[in-house]
Amino acid sequence: MSTNDPTGGGPLPRHMSPDQVRNTSFARTARGRRGFAEDEVERFVHRLADEMARHEADKMRLLDENRRLKQAMRDWQSRQVADPAVDLQQRVTADAAALMARAQQHIDAQVAQAELYCRQREQEAVQHYDEIVREARAQAAREADQVARHYRDAAGADYSADKERIERQRVYIRAMLKALDAVGDHLQATRSAFAVEVTKLDDWLDTPELPAGPALTD
Amino acid sequence: MVDVNRLAESWALVSAHGDQVPLRFYGRLFVAHPELRDLFPISMAAQRDRLVRALGLVVSQAGQLEAITPFLQELGREHRRFTATPEHYAAVGEALLDTIADFLGDLWTPELAGDWVQAYRLVGRVMIEAADDAAHTPAWWDTEVLDRDQRTFDITVLTVRPDGAYPYVPGQSMAVETALRPRLWRYFSPANAPRADGTLDLHVRRVPGGPVSSALVDQVDVGDRLRLGAPIGRDLTLRPTGGRDLLLIAGGTGLAPLKALVDQVVGDPLRAGASTVRLFVGARTVRELYDLDHLRELADRHPWLVVVPVVSDDDHHPHADGMVADIALLRSPDPLGHEIYVCGSREMVEGTRARLHAAGCPPERVHHESFVGLADGLDKPDGIDGLPGMPGLGTPGLGTPGLGARIRGVGEGTGIDGGAAHLESER
């Protein structure tokens, strides 16, 4: 037998490699004893060795895959343990940020509404003022025309263009003053009403249990 | 190196979400740093607009940030008013990255994060360094109101005195804050050259619905305190004229800086090289020529000064009738040979510039500045305000050619020469 003697000598090796199988040689039978055809045995041994080699390769591949899978499993597990805390924190922060953003939008809408209201009131006030002045001027001009006509009709020979002009202006100015006084009275009344409101607010602000100061002017 | 295209693409995706982006940004910033909320005003709508426009600008210039360096520097200096510290910049940067990551989701990669971090660091560094360089000067000046003169029911002239020396050049502006409207700043331009007593005249027009201008016009009284930011802007300061006469065209309270220029010439024995100064003052109605008496007095005292009031929308008045730019061109001998300064609302300034251009005035001799609603977009030739989330209001002069007129506070109101009563929101 060859070096790796499977049949004689020491104990069998635990795993035979394909090469070991190929290199195994067998004792010949004694003359006249029945034995197997040499070349058939040869062929079979080689086939066996090839099978073994194939299985060896498969085994290595499966072992490798198994190793990889085990590692992946461990990785995933360790991720599951660390991430929940981080994920939760990130989710909480994002939620808090979104909540704050919604609150801010609410405030912005209220401020925008207040500013729009002010803008509209002021525009109305300006338009109103313009109308008042225009109307007052028109009215004053009418009165001046009327007086001028009366003067012309009454003056006859004593007519003087200068005198007409002076009469006209006098009446015009008087009419304007009267109109503006009326507006002034109206504004004064409005002013008084506002003054009352402000006093009420001041009293409210001065009430001890309420925080006064900047918070209310914001 | 920042990948500029990648940065721009990511921003395009994010900014498509509109107002949600800055809403989320400030949400994140204040959740992480609640103490920062007090640096900002109650209503944040204007602030959000500013942030988005600023980010858009930085992203669009990311390949050549040097182009906007002067702007960033002035912005950094302006932020000193809000007691911004380097730690604040870090907090803002974090919130910014988190916000962009929120909106990009799976598209947020380490490489992209690197782009944003780098871009933000560059911007922050320029701003912080500029602030540090200015650290030897006050971040703001406490100021006392010495006089209030309400000229019309929406225009008041306030005379104020800053505590301590306030070094400015006629034509510059500064941000102003009143305790009545905390953390809301509006820009104004002193209507006088520096005086021995240190006082400044501010021409304030009430913008309908505007919180600051209404407080300044109606409520601020003698003895009240204001805060002023540092003087900024170079668009309207007097250039050496090379012997050319001055043509000053004012719309509404745009008169203020131009009056300061006149004041500067008054105090200059060489009269800035000009032999004549022509000041055309435009208003919609006679009533709104709020400084006429004082201007007439000035003109009476100085024969080289010509003041022409122009009224566009009124009847029964003795003044020139029409658009102030047209009258200015009509009544100035050789307008093309003048050094021209224009100030007013954006409509008025743009309309005036167009007319001057059509008349053949060389653009390098037309110096202009307009005050506009801070809500206006970047496509207008005005500056922008506020960079990464800092409570910045108003823009410093951009300084670089082609970046146009600076935004000034709408607290000055809208000089409404030009016909249309363009009532802009004061934000």
Side-chain angles (χ1 to χ4, degrees), chain B residues 259-271:
Chain B
K259 193 180 177 194
L261 296 186
V262 171
D263 205 18
Q264 184 180 357
V265 172
V266 164
D268 179 1
L270 297 174
R271 283 216 295 274

Side-chain angles (χ1 to χ4, degrees), chain B residues 150-296:
Chain B
Q150 186 148 6
R151 303 279 177 87
T152 74
F153 67 60
D154 48 8
I155 300 178
T156 293
V157 174
L158 294 174
T159 302
V160 307
R161 185 180 53 213
D163 297 347
Y166 189 80
Y168 72 98
V169 175
Q172 287 194 298
S173 312
M174 80 287 280
V176 177
E177 186 208 40
T178 160
L180 294 169
R181 304 282 183 262
R183 287 112 54 192
L184 290 177
W185 296 78
R186 298 290 182 264
Y187 283 83
F188 296 91
S189 195
N192 57 286
R195 291 176 183 138
D197 64 5
T199 57
L200 311 176
D201 294 336
L202 302 181
H203 294 187
V204 187
R205 179 188 204 104
R206 188 197 314 113
V207 173
V212 177
S213 63
S214 56
L216 290 174
V217 169
D218 298 325
Q219 295 177 256
V220 161
D221 211 345
V222 173
D224 286 348
R225 309 284 297 180
L226 303 175
R227 293 212 289 190
L228 304 191
I232 57 173
R234 285 280 162 188
D235 289 337
L236 286 183
T237 51
L238 264 189
R239 274 47 165 197
T241 65
R244 278 185 283 273
D245 285 347
L246 291 178
L247 173 54
L248 312 176
I249 308 179
T253 49
L255 169 62
L258 301 183
K259 193 180 177 194
L261 296 186
V262 171
D263 205 18
Q264 184 180 357
V265 172
V266 164
D268 179 1
L270 297 174
R271 283 216 295 274
S275 55
T276 309
V277 175
R278 293 187 168 82
L279 172 62
F280 288 83
V281 184
R284 209 168 45 98
T285 65
V286 177
R287 183 171 61 83
E288 287 160 78
L289 291 170
Y290 64 93
D291 205 37
L292 203 53
D293 293 340
H294 295 77
L295 292 175
R296 281 218 172 101

